[in-house]
Amino acid sequence: MSDIITLENITYVYSPGTPYEKKALDNISVSFEKGTVTGIIGHTGSGKSTLVRLLNGLERPSSGRVLLDGEDIWLKPKSIGKIRFRVGLVMQYPEYQLFEETVRKDIAFGPKNMKLPEDEIERRVRETAKTVGLSEEVLDMAPFDLSGGRKRRAAIAGVMAMTPEVLILDEPAAGLDPEGRKKVFDAISAYKEEHGATVIIVSHSMEDMAERCDRLCILNNGRIAAYGNSGDIFGDPSVLIGAGLDVPEITAVAYKLSERGLKLGKAVFTVSDAAEAVAEILKGRKAGSDGMGKGGFTL
Amino acid sequence: MSRSITLGQYYPASSVLHRADGRMKLILTVVFMVMCFLCKSLASFALLLLFTLGLVFASTVPLKIVLKSVRMIIFILIFTFVLNIFFTPGTGEPLLAFWIFRVYKDGIWKAFFMSFRVFCLVIGTGLLISYTTSPVDITHSIESLLMPLSKIGIPVHSFAMMMFIALRFIPTLSDDAEKIMTAQRSRGVDFSSGPLMGRIRSLVSVLIPLFVSSFRRADELAVAMECRCYHGGEGKTSLHVMKVRFSDFVILFVFLAVAAGTVLLNGIKFGYSM
Ligand SMILES: Nc1ncnc2c1ncn2[C@@H]1O[C@H](COP(=O)(O)OP(=O)(O)O)[C@@H](O)[C@H]1O
Ligand SMILES: [Mg+2]
């Protein structure tokens, strides 16, 4: 498959030339493949939000190029606005951007800025409301009257209604309860299915990302610590731990075990996973086969 | 957050001036202003210049940044200069005469002196207050200096707390505003070009969320303060205990000495004196 967005040697410096100068991204090169779901993981301050703001041209890189479909997005700085309709960004806590009297009007705000005809706007509002699971009544309510989870989905719908080819979400589930998180992620999957879009999700929660992402990009202090298939990355938690991420305790235990020679076969994130994996090994040992490494580990 | 303290012109460092007591610096500012207006002769102006440069050096703020504050008042400087050059009555023959304007030699001297005075005034007070004292320290210092007024029923502490909260929330709100603007730009709003009416309308998409978030923040802060039993009344102690140290008095002494010096140097009638 082909790449839709490519970052080439991107460096980004905040407030250059002042005492507050801060290099947020340091010579980053990475490509996002068309139609995939990529997760960007990193601890707070590792540069995730800066990275995604570069992708839709909200920030201009200090050096390096951002390519969309092979074309430098800053070639014509005057028309950078058009890029933002192709690469939609849902910022962190997007509910704070709601401002219209009704949810319907707010979702229509983006398409209106695209200068689409009225009936097309109307159609998109209804369609995206369905995608994110907001009912017809909710559309006529004031956004400030909605519950936290619905507000979040209304705000996400506001970006989806512009039907971007690439949908980027910065911590889309932050601060929501489990049910709210699930609904948000369901909405994202639904959008991807309907439009065949490329999705990039920023998070620092491993559990959310493990099952939902095809690719993972681990950021650490403005550099890419690892990039690859999510199975591979989660198979070796040392990278995650090295990047200062909080892996679940049981994952850390499993990693410690594997360091000492007891390979569990796959990455575990829950205690029951680990129990199964250990049971598997014990079964293997009873059957006489060698489930252990050379270390002569005894349980 | 590193960004929060970029408020105003504060230049973070730990020079002698940065460490000096905020209240003392407020007093020194007054001394410095008086000093500027006491200068009348070429010699005393030379001392003033030397002293101002000394302050720049002592503050460790780069000269480039200090001169930035002069750029802001360049029009005032030019205005002072032009006004003095044309409207100073002088004796003897004017150097230049046209229409109602007469330029005398005295006028040129005075124009230089007056603009130089404003120049030093801005740099000196800037160094003492804005560059080396954080807004929070300024608030605490003003509160402490005005405290005697609470004896006659003026709620100094409440005013200081209001000012403190306002200062504290400027960076927060500007952060919020920036975030909301970025979010709306992601939805295709163009704040920097297009027809005027369109741009005004696009501001609405920032102002409404900003109002909502500032009311929310105000509410949260009030609740948080009440939860900690804040009542703003008698007997509240402060986390920042201000203490005037010996070095502060040394600095005060230097300022007073220089002020006295300028007065003495006024006696030297070399070149021109006002
Ligand atoms: N507007 C800004 N000005 C200066 N520094 C910033 C700004 N935004 C972020 N930073 C700094 O850049 C680094 C990366 O920030 P960010 O991209 O927000 O990280 P993340 O989203 O991974 O938490 C942090 O150290 C942060 O303090
Ligand atoms: Mg972030």
Side-chain angles (χ1 to χ4, degrees):
Chain A
M1 272 214 201
S2 59
D3 296 332
I4 182 139
I5 295 190
T6 303
L7 297 181
E8 272 182 8
N9 306 96
I10 292 285
T11 296
Y12 189 85
V13 183
Y14 281 108
S15 330
T18 70
Y20 306 101
E21 184 171 307
K22 165 92 201 170
K23 197 186 247 184
L25 294 176
D26 189 4
N27 198 15
I28 278 192
S29 298
V30 64
S31 290
F32 299 99
E33 229 172 90
K34 215 171 239 170
T36 55
V37 180
T38 304
I40 299 180
I41 309 187
H43 61 84
T44 310
S46 57
K48 307 181 296 289
S49 300
T50 310
L51 181 68
V52 294
R53 279 206 297 272
L54 284 163
L55 295 179
N56 79 338
L58 282 169
E59 313 272 6
R60 195 172 181 160
S62 308
S63 70
R65 298 196 302 164
V66 182
L67 306 177
L68 177 61
D69 256 344
E71 229 175 275
D72 188 346
I73 63 168
W74 285 102
L75 218 51
K76 290 191 225 101
K78 281 232 156 59
S79 56
I80 194 73
K82 302 227 164 43
I83 302 294
R84 298 188 190 136
F85 299 133
R86 295 183 59 195
V87 182
L89 171 62
V90 180
M91 306 249 302
Q92 207 163 349
Y93 297 109
E95 52 272 28
Y96 294 140
Q97 77 198 24
L98 299 168
F99 74 100
E100 293 277 17
E101 301 120 72
T102 63
V103 175
R104 186 189 303 279
K105 274 192 181 172
D106 209 282
I107 297 178
F109 183 66
K112 224 179 239 164
N113 287 329
M114 294 170 82
K115 312 226 163 23
L116 296 174
E118 279 300 322
D119 49 343
E120 171 67 8
I121 295 179
E122 191 48 42
R123 194 186 64 74
R124 287 200 183 184
V125 171
R126 255 180 286 121
E127 190 190 278
T128 27
K130 211 183 301 131
T131 308
V132 300
L134 292 177
S135 65
E136 198 65 30
E137 305 85 273
V138 172
L139 282 183
D140 291 316
M141 287 165 69
F144 305 108
D145 291 339
L146 301 185
S147 70
R150 278 177 168 178
K151 249 191 227 172
R152 179 74 53 89
R153 278 180 284 138
I156 292 175
V159 173
M160 286 178 173
M162 303 190 298
T163 58
E165 305 155 49
V166 183
L167 180 67
I168 308 173
L169 304 103
D170 194 350
E171 306 266 6
L176 293 183
D177 54 32
E179 197 193 325
R181 301 170 84 84
K182 185 177 173 308
K183 283 191 174 150
V184 163
F185 283 115
D186 286 350
I188 298 170
S189 312
Y191 179 81
K192 182 183 177 318
E193 290 309 311
E194 285 161 26
H195 298 271
T198 309
V199 176
I200 298 173
I201 305 175
V202 170
S203 175
H204 59 250
S205 156
M206 228 75 53
E207 288 92 65
D208 282 342
M209 306 301 260
E211 24 184 314
R212 293 189 174 89
C213 298
D214 310 314
R215 303 268 187 286
L216 280 180
C217 174
I218 315 290
L219 275 187
N220 187 18
N221 291 331
R223 291 164 190 268
I224 293 181
Y227 180 73
N229 289 327
S230 46
D232 299 343
I233 301 257
F234 278 118
D236 181 10
S238 62
V239 181
L240 301 172
I241 294 168
L245 290 166
D246 293 322
V247 297
E249 235 159 52
I250 189 69
T251 311
V253 169
Y255 176 62
K256 282 262 156 60
L257 285 177
S258 77
E259 266 186 338
R260 301 185 46 183
L262 184 75
K263 295 257 184 287
L264 289 188
K266 60 170 183 152
V268 296
F269 294 102
T270 62
V271 177
S272 55
D273 275 357
E276 259 171 47
V278 170
E280 197 77 4
I281 288 174
L282 289 178
K283 231 186 280 164
R285 198 158 61 171
K286 268 206 192 108
S289 73
D290 184 18
M292 292 183 298
K294 299 235 157 31
F297 197 96
T298 47
L299 277 174
Chain B
M1 296 288 328
S2 58
R3 277 166 292 156
S4 329
I5 33 177
T6 49
L7 174 67
Q9 298 169 310
Y10 184 63
Y11 183 90
S14 68
S15 72
V16 188
L17 285 185
H18 283 84
R19 274 175 284 136
D21 185 81
R23 291 165 298 181
M24 189 58 95
K25 280 191 272 188
L26 285 175
I27 295 169
L28 292 179
T29 309
V30 177
V31 174
F32 188 80
M33 285 176 175
V34 172
M35 195 191 302
C36 285
F37 283 99
L38 282 178
C39 283
K40 287 200 160 52
S41 74
L42 199 56
S44 53
F45 270 111
L47 178 63
L48 181 64
L49 176 67
L50 225 62
F51 185 60
T52 311
L53 284 179
L55 282 182
V56 176
F57 183 72
S59 70
T60 68
V61 181
L63 193 62
K64 212 173 83 191
I65 292 179
V66 177
L67 289 179
K68 253 192 206 154
S69 63
V70 177
R71 227 173 34 204
M72 287 191 282
I73 56 140
I74 199 92
F75 283 106
I76 299 178
L77 280 178
I78 293 173
F79 189 67
T80 314
F81 192 83
V82 170
L83 218 60
N84 276 291
I85 223 170
F86 287 122
F87 294 107
T88 310
T91 48
E93 276 296 295
L95 298 174
L96 249 170
F98 60 92
W99 195 35
I100 56 164
F101 301 111
R102 301 279 176 281
V103 177
Y104 298 93
K105 201 167 150 213
D106 285 3
I108 295 177
W109 275 112
K110 201 165 170 206
F112 269 112
F113 277 12
M114 290 302 274
S115 10
F116 186 71
R117 203 178 252 174
V118 177
F119 176 81
C120 287
L121 202 63
V122 168
I123 291 190
T125 50
L127 280 177
L128 285 170
I129 303 293
S130 357
Y131 286 114
T132 61
T133 320
S134 71
V136 173
D137 269 349
I138 298 177
T139 315
H140 283 306
S141 309
I142 294 177
E143 180 185 2
S144 167
L145 281 178
L146 294 183
M147 228 12 161
L149 290 182
S150 62
K151 291 271 186 306
I152 57 166
I154 296 174
V156 176
H157 173 74
S158 302
F159 282 128
M161 186 50 100
M162 261 156 45
M163 194 165 138
F164 178 76
I165 291 174
L167 278 174
R168 162 65 186 75
F169 275 89
I170 290 172
T172 313
L173 288 184
S174 81
D175 251 22
D176 277 358
E178 203 188 299
K179 273 189 202 135
I180 295 165
M181 278 177 86
T182 344
Q184 306 302 26
R185 275 196 288 158
S186 298
R187 295 209 276 168
V189 177
D190 188 354
F191 292 105
S192 52
S193 64
L196 187 66
M197 271 321 282
R199 265 193 270 176
I200 292 174
R201 219 172 304 133
S202 57
L203 272 185
V204 173
S205 71
V206 177
L207 289 180
I208 293 178
L210 195 58
F211 264 117
V212 173
S213 83
S214 40
F215 278 111
R216 185 176 43 83
R217 281 188 194 282
D219 209 40
E220 282 170 3
L221 181 70
V223 171
M225 283 169 80
E226 267 176 11
C227 286
R228 295 179 201 183
C229 305
Y230 176 82
H231 56 89
E234 285 285 296
K236 178 187 161 290
T237 53
S238 178
L239 179 64
H240 304 267
V241 180
M242 309 190 93
K243 224 167 144 191
V244 183
R245 285 170 307 173
F246 179 66
S247 59
D248 293 317
F249 284 106
V250 174
I251 298 175
L252 179 65
F253 178 76
V254 171
F255 269 70
L256 291 177
V258 175
T262 54
V263 174
L264 287 178
L265 287 177
N266 276 340
I268 300 176
K269 300 266 188 277
F270 172 74
Y272 172 84
S273 65
M274 288 195 271

